[in-house]
Amino acid sequence: MTSADGTRLAVTRRGSGPAVVLVDGALACSRTDPGRPLAQALAEAFTVHDFDRRGRGRSTDTAPYAPQREIEDVAAVLRAAGEDACLFGMSSGAVLGLEAVAAGVPVRRLAVYEPPYTGEVVGAANVRRARSELEAILADTSRGSARFGDAVASLMTTTGMPQDMVTLVRHTPVWAEYEALAPTLAYDLALLGDGTVPRSRLEGVRTPTLVLDGAASPELLRCPSRIVACVVGAVAYRSLPDQTHDVDPAVLAPVLSEFFAG
C-alpha cells in the first residue's frame, strides 16, 4: 500500500468481519512482535489490518518526517480497510490515532491504550529536556550503533520501566531489532510534542472512544489516560486489572472486541 507521499506501507490482513486497524507504539513492528498475538485474537471476529509504521519492519520511509505524514499513513490504511472501520492505538500509536481522528480521518470507533503524554506528570520542561537528550544520543555518530541501544534504553526508563528490567531486555535477542528501530523514536517524540495532552485539538474528537490503561502501570502513564478520557468525552475509561504498559493481548482482545462490536 502506498501513502500520500509515496511511502510503501506493509499491511497484513487477517480474519473476516468488520474492519479493525491496529496502530503500533514505539519500537513495535512485525519483527519485534512476531505472530502479532493481538491481531490474531481479534481476527476471530474482525478483519484486522495491522501495518508497520513508516521506517519500521517492511515499510519504507520518506524524508523529511512530519506527524502529518503519519496521519496520512493511517488514513491510507483506513481507506483500504473500508467504511466503518474501527481503530486501536497502543502507546505512541494511541497518540497517532487520536491525532488522526482529531484531523478528521473517519473512524467508526476509536480505542487507545496509555497514550504517553508524560508531561502531564513530570512537566513539559522535563519532557523537552528528555527529548533533547534522546535526540543528542541519536545524533551522536561517534559511537556507532551503540548510540541506538542507549536511545532505546533511555526511552524505556523515561516511560517507567525499571532499570534492572531494561538491563535484562538488553540481553535478549529482540534487542537488536529495537536498535534497528531506534531512529524512528524521533518520530514518536515529534508526535508527542512537549508531552502534554493537546486539549484544544482533542476536544474536537466526536468519535466514540474507549480509553484504557493498566491498573498496575505507573501513575506516569495512568494519569494521561484519565485526562484524555475527559478531554475527548470518552464513552468509557477502563483500567485493566494486573496489567502494565506491556499489556497481555489475551486480556486486551476481549475488551476491544466488546467495544468494537457495539
Side-chain angles (χ1 to χ4, degrees), residues 115-136 154-155 158-159 185 188-197 220-221 224:
Y117 294 113
T118 55
E120 297 292 345
V121 177
V122 303
N126 286 325
V127 170
R128 286 193 291 268
R129 181 164 51 252
R131 176 176 176 173
S132 295
E133 292 171 355
L134 186 56
E135 289 172 340
S154 176
L155 176 80
T158 298
T159 55
L185 293 177
D188 297 288
L189 293 173
L191 279 168
L192 284 163
D194 68 0
T196 58
V197 176
L220 184 72
L221 295 172

Side-chain angles (χ1 to χ4, degrees), residues 15-252:
S16 61
V20 172
V21 172
L22 306 182
V23 186
D24 286 328
L27 302 176
C29 70
S30 54
R31 291 175 181 166
T32 58
D33 187 21
R36 297 292 209 174
L38 177 61
Q40 290 194 21
L42 290 173
E44 295 179 7
F46 301 93
T47 301
V48 181
H49 304 254
D50 68 85
F51 69 103
D52 289 338
R53 287 170 57 188
R54 60 175 53 213
R56 310 178 190 206
R58 295 176 293 115
S59 291
T60 64
D61 203 354
T62 304
Y65 176 81
Q68 180 60 32
R69 302 290 82 77
E70 284 219 86
I71 292 174
E72 292 169 355
D73 296 347
V74 172
V77 177
L78 283 164
R79 281 195 300 272
E83 293 183 2
D84 297 326
C86 294
L87 181 68
F88 170 67
M90 172 69 196
S91 191
S92 64
V95 173
L96 180 52
L98 287 162
E99 290 286 0
V101 172
V105 177
V107 174
R108 188 174 71 83
R109 289 196 161 204
L110 171 67
V112 296
Y113 189 90
E114 293 189 354
Y117 294 113
T118 55
E120 297 292 345
V121 177
V122 303
N126 286 325
V127 170
R128 286 193 291 268
R129 181 164 51 252
R131 176 176 176 173
S132 295
E133 292 171 355
L134 186 56
E135 289 172 340
I137 292 172
L138 290 171
D140 179 11
T141 59
S142 65
R143 298 181 58 245
S145 62
R147 72 190 189 281
F148 292 147
D150 292 341
V152 172
S154 176
L155 176 80
M156 288 180 170
T157 55
T158 298
T159 55
M161 182 179 286
Q163 184 59 54
D164 57 348
M165 187 174 295
V166 175
T167 301
L168 287 175
V169 177
R170 290 192 84 141
H171 291 88
T172 62
V174 75
W175 190 260
E177 296 289 351
Y178 287 156
E179 289 183 336
L181 292 172
T184 65
L185 293 177
Y187 302 174
D188 297 288
L189 293 173
L191 279 168
L192 284 163
D194 68 0
T196 58
V197 176
R199 290 165 171 78
S200 61
R201 290 199 298 277
L202 299 191
E203 284 173 351
V205 171
R206 295 293 178 263
T207 299
T209 302
L210 169 66
V211 180
L212 300 165
D213 65 24
S217 285
E219 187 66 7
L220 184 72
L221 295 172
R222 298 192 66 199
C223 174
S225 298
R226 294 193 297 270
I227 294 173
V228 167
C230 291
V231 171
V232 303
V235 297
Y237 160 71
R238 292 182 59 179
S239 290
L240 303 185
D242 303 318
Q243 296 303 302
T244 64
H245 199 58
D246 186 21
V247 61
D248 184 348
V251 173
L252 178 59

